Structures are given as C-alpha cells and as structure tokens.
Amino acid sequence: MSQQDHELERRARELFLRASRDVDPAMAGRLRAARRTALASPASHTAARRLLIPASAFAVVALATLMVWQPLGNRSPAPPADVQTVDATDPTDLPPDADSTDPSLYQDLQFYSWLAYNDGQARNNK
C-alpha cells in the first residue's frame, strides 16, 4: 500500500472512533437494536433456500437420469434370428449338419475342442 492509502486509512479510523465516542445513548441504543434485528433476520435462511432450489433440481435430474439409464442387469440380448441355438446340456448331441451351418464355425475347430475340454474340466472340479 502506498503512503496515501495508509494516511487515508488512519484518518478514516480516527474519524470513526471519534464519531463512535460522541454518539448519544439514544442513538447507540437504536444502532444496537438495528444490529440485533439484522443479525436475527432470516437472511441466512433465504440464502440457504436459494442454494437448495438448484441443488434439489440437480438431484431430481440426476435421479431421473439414473432411472432411465440404469443397467439392464443380467439380461442378455436376444440372439439374431439367423443364428441357430444349440442345447449343450446333452453331451451325446451331434454337431449340426455342415450344409445347414455357417462355414466360418469350422475355421477354429482346435479352439472349440480346447474350449469343450476346459469346460468339462471346470465342471468336474466343482
């Protein structure tokens, strides 16, 4: 702060102290009453209400968003219509006829053999 700022602050403080000493008792009582009224007023409640309205609106929007976009749980999507489903509960079932299935299924026969072997091992370990 510059020297002028310090001087202005000093003079303002001096004037304030002199004026507060020279206040008559009736005026001092009215000032104290006004101060008590201002401190007891619900202005702080109004500020809280002003904050609660946007906060509650945000909470409602967030809840609605969660309700609309909640996960589907364990539901699996339906298989496409052109895919044949095979019931794998009976191990003696024969694979589907090669003429009626997709030829890309036969590209990785070693993988399917490995998968069947490991699936059987996992069931035996349970």
Side-chain angles (χ1 to χ4, degrees), residues 48-77:
R49 272 188 241 142
R50 275 191 236 145
L51 288 175
L52 276 178
I53 291 171
S56 60
F58 178 75
V60 167
V61 168
L63 180 64
T65 303
L66 285 175
M67 290 178 71
V68 169
W69 285 338
Q70 73 182 169
L72 297 175
N74 291 335
R75 296 183 205 159
S76 60

Side-chain angles (χ1 to χ4, degrees), residues 55-119:
S56 60
F58 178 75
V60 167
V61 168
L63 180 64
T65 303
L66 285 175
M67 290 178 71
V68 169
W69 285 338
Q70 73 182 169
L72 297 175
N74 291 335
R75 296 183 205 159
S76 60
D82 61 340
V83 174
Q84 294 179 353
T85 58
V86 177
D87 186 16
T89 57
D90 188 9
T92 61
D93 283 344
L94 295 175
D97 188 22
D99 295 333
S100 65
T101 59
D102 185 16
S104 65
L105 290 176
Y106 295 104
Q107 288 179 348
D108 297 320
L109 287 177
Q110 287 179 340
F111 169 73
Y112 292 119
S113 174
W114 173 85
L115 186 63
Y117 175 77
N118 285 333
D119 188 41

